[in-house]
C-alpha cells in the first residue's frame, strides 16, 4: 500500500504538458478515480465506468507484447451524458465529447498492475487520469 501511495504521489507531483506551446498555456487537472469515480472541471465531468480488458504483461512473467488496458469512460456536461468511449492511453483528444477542441487526456494509468500471483477483482481497480486544456 505504501508503494502504491508513493507512486500516486509521484504522479501527482509530476506535471506533464503537451509538446507544443509553453507550459503556462495549459491547465492540467488530474485525479485518481475508483470505479464510478468522477473527475470534474468547469461544468464537465468524466466518470470511470469499467475496465473493459487488462492484457498488460503480469509481474513475474516474460512477455513478447506489453499488452494494454482498456477502460470505459462516460462524459457529462452538467447532468447530461455526452456519451461513452473506450480508451487505452494518454494523448487522446476529447473534442468528440466536449464542445472544446483544446482538451485531451494527457495521463492515463490503471492500478494495480497485474501480478501472476494475484487475481485483480474489478472493484480493486483505480484509474489515474489527467486532462490538459489549452487556455488562451
Amino acid at each position: 500500500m505504501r508503494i502504491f501511495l508513493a507512486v500516486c504521489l509521484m504522479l501527482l507531483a509530476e506535471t506533464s504538458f503537451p509538446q507544443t506551446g509553453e507550459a503556462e498555456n495549459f491547465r492540467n487537472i488530474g485525479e485518481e478515480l475508483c470505479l464510478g469515480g468522477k473527475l470534474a472541471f468547469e461544468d464537465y465531468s468524466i466518470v470511470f465506468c469499467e475496465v473493459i480488458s487488462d492484457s498488460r504483461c503480469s509481474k513475474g512473467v516474460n512477455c513478447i507484447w506489453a499488452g494494454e488496458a482498456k477502460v470505459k469512460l462516460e462524459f457529462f456536461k452538467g447532468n447530461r451524458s455526452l456519451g461513452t468511449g473506450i480508451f487505452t492511453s494518454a494523448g487522446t483528444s476529447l473534442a468528440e465529447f466536449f464542445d472544446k477542441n483544446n482538451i485531451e487526456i494527457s495521463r492515463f494509468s490503471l492500478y494495480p498492475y497485474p501480478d501472476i500471483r494475484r487475481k485483480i477483482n474489478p472493484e480493486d481497480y483505480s484509474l489515474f487520469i489527467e486532462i490538459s486544456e489549452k487556455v488562451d
Side-chain angles (χ1 to χ4, degrees), residues 71-89:
V71 300
K72 181 178 179 182
L73 303 176
E74 186 169 9
F75 302 89
F76 290 87
K77 183 170 185 177
N79 292 325
R80 184 174 57 93
S81 176
L82 301 173
T84 61
I86 308 297
F87 296 87
T88 59
S89 64

Side-chain angles (χ1 to χ4, degrees), residues 57-107:
C57 184
S58 298
K59 292 177 186 174
V61 175
N62 290 325
C63 299
I64 296 171
W65 183 57
E68 66 182 7
K70 292 182 182 179
V71 300
K72 181 178 179 182
L73 303 176
E74 186 169 9
F75 302 89
F76 290 87
K77 183 170 185 177
N79 292 325
R80 184 174 57 93
S81 176
L82 301 173
T84 61
I86 308 297
F87 296 87
T88 59
S89 64
T92 305
S93 171
L94 298 176
E96 75 176 276
F97 298 102
F98 299 124
D99 54 0
K100 300 176 170 206
N101 289 326
N102 60 342
I103 193 165
E104 71 175 33
I105 296 175
S106 57
R107 274 190 195 263

Side-chain angles (χ1 to χ4, degrees), residues 10-136:
M10 286 188 325
L11 287 173
L12 289 172
E14 294 177 9
T15 304
S16 68
F17 297 101
Q19 296 298 311
T20 59
E22 296 297 318
E24 61 269 8
N25 293 335
F26 292 89
R27 178 177 58 172
N28 292 340
I29 303 160
E31 191 167 330
E32 185 168 350
L33 306 174
C34 294
L35 283 174
K38 180 189 303 186
L39 172 64
F41 57 101
E42 297 173 11
D43 194 27
Y44 301 98
S45 58
I46 301 171
V47 174
F48 175 29
C49 299
E50 67 179 298
V51 176
I52 301 296
S53 66
D54 187 357
S55 65
R56 296 175 293 170
C57 184
S58 298
K59 292 177 186 174
V61 175
N62 290 325
C63 299
I64 296 171
W65 183 57
E68 66 182 7
K70 292 182 182 179
V71 300
K72 181 178 179 182
L73 303 176
E74 186 169 9
F75 302 89
F76 290 87
K77 183 170 185 177
N79 292 325
R80 184 174 57 93
S81 176
L82 301 173
T84 61
I86 308 297
F87 296 87
T88 59
S89 64
T92 305
S93 171
L94 298 176
E96 75 176 276
F97 298 102
F98 299 124
D99 54 0
K100 300 176 170 206
N101 289 326
N102 60 342
I103 193 165
E104 71 175 33
I105 296 175
S106 57
R107 274 190 195 263
F108 180 97
S109 299
L110 187 64
Y111 300 102
Y113 198 83
D115 188 321
I116 193 156
R117 298 167 296 193
R118 171 171 113 67
K119 181 180 180 341
I120 302 171
N121 295 318
E123 63 273 3
D124 292 340
Y125 278 108
S126 66
L127 174 70
F128 181 83
I129 186 169
E130 181 180 78
I131 59 165
S132 290
E133 181 178 16
K134 186 173 182 178
V135 291
D136 297 325

